[in-house]
Amino acid sequence: MNEAVPVCRRCGACCRQGGPSLCREDLPLFAAGVLAPATLMVLRRGEYVTDNVAGGVVPAPVELVRLRPGQGGRACLFFTEPDACAVHENRPRQCRDLFCDAPQAVADAYLEGRLTRRDILGEASPLAVLCAAHEAETDLARLAALCRRALGGDAAAREAVARIVRLDAAYRDLLPARAGVSVTELPFYLGRPLARALPIVRAALGCGGLYNEAPSA
């Protein structure tokens, strides 16, 4: 007998765990107006994320663009109670692949063809260039190494961490003021503020009692 094809029960269990990550197959959803920067967030390479495939919390090996959570919660932005998806007929590939009883399809394609900010914005976009500059100047792997040195008592490393945090905050002021980017779009263009993306930043700057948290947008 052939195995039964898994069918989504639309129970909302996966939706409540957060929005999906996007792949290149999802690009048409932008042209169709289903997705836009305000509906997204970026988990940057090196940011600690929950790996539901391998299990545990690990540094993201690549940039992950995903649907942001709804207001004040963890559930996907498009999830509405009870157990409904506002874009079910135009849902991203990961949502189409995922079945609670047969998760292997998602596991098999976990890092396959991941969508990036550059894919969405276009290589020539000034905003794509700005995002790339921010990524290089606030590289999370380098920042984490500096934080570890700062926690070991290296004053120069601590000052370097503080400079990077100030630079990140400056980008978050610049984009709304000069590029017309709304505050709700910042998590897509720049990811989360550094102290949220890497909690060790807070520890490194707090060890001297001089840390003032950057804007949380």
Side-chain angles (χ1 to χ4, degrees):
M1 294 180 59
N2 293 330
E3 292 185 5
V5 176
V7 176
C8 177
R9 296 187 295 271
R10 301 188 70 171
C11 65
C14 56
C15 308
R16 291 187 179 90
Q17 297 304 308
S21 297
L22 304 181
C23 69
R24 292 194 182 98
E25 289 180 31
D26 298 320
L27 265 177
L29 297 178
F30 291 89
V34 177
L35 300 179
T39 66
L40 306 173
M41 64 179 293
V42 164
L43 298 175
R44 297 172 58 195
R45 184 177 62 85
E47 183 171 350
Y48 278 82
V49 298
T50 300
D51 188 331
N52 292 323
V53 174
V57 178
V58 298
V62 295
E63 177 179 308
L64 301 172
V65 178
R66 64 180 301 175
L67 292 185
R68 67 175 178 81
Q71 186 68 31
R74 181 180 179 183
C76 175
L77 173 68
F78 292 121
F79 177 70
T80 57
E81 298 283 2
D83 309 337
C85 171
V87 295
H88 190 263
E89 297 306 315
N90 295 289
R91 62 198 186 280
R93 175 187 165 179
Q94 192 174 86
C95 300
R96 289 184 276 115
D97 283 349
L98 179 60
F99 296 97
C100 300
D101 298 331
Q104 193 58 42
V106 170
D108 290 344
Y110 186 57
L111 295 178
E112 175 187 316
R114 286 296 182 183
L115 196 61
T116 68
R117 287 169 288 182
R118 185 175 292 274
D119 294 327
I120 296 166
L121 298 171
E123 267 192 56
S125 163
L127 280 171
V129 173
L130 188 147
C131 289
H134 173 265
E135 189 70 25
E137 292 170 348
T138 64
D139 178 75
L140 296 186
R142 174 173 172 267
L143 180 58
L146 285 169
C147 287
R148 288 191 290 271
R149 286 168 49 194
L151 287 170
D154 187 329
R158 184 172 184 273
E159 179 52 37
V161 172
R163 284 197 300 271
I164 293 171
V165 169
R166 289 195 294 268
L167 179 63
D168 178 64
Y171 270 94
R172 292 174 193 279
D173 289 338
L174 173 68
L175 263 68
R178 303 291 295 275
V181 170
S182 73
V183 172
T184 57
E185 294 173 326
L186 288 178
F188 166 71
Y189 289 106
L190 303 178
R192 297 189 294 175
L194 297 181
R196 292 181 59 197
L198 283 180
I200 195 174
V201 169
R202 187 184 298 273
L205 294 183
C207 64
L210 300 175
Y211 178 49
N212 291 315
E213 186 174 359
S216 60

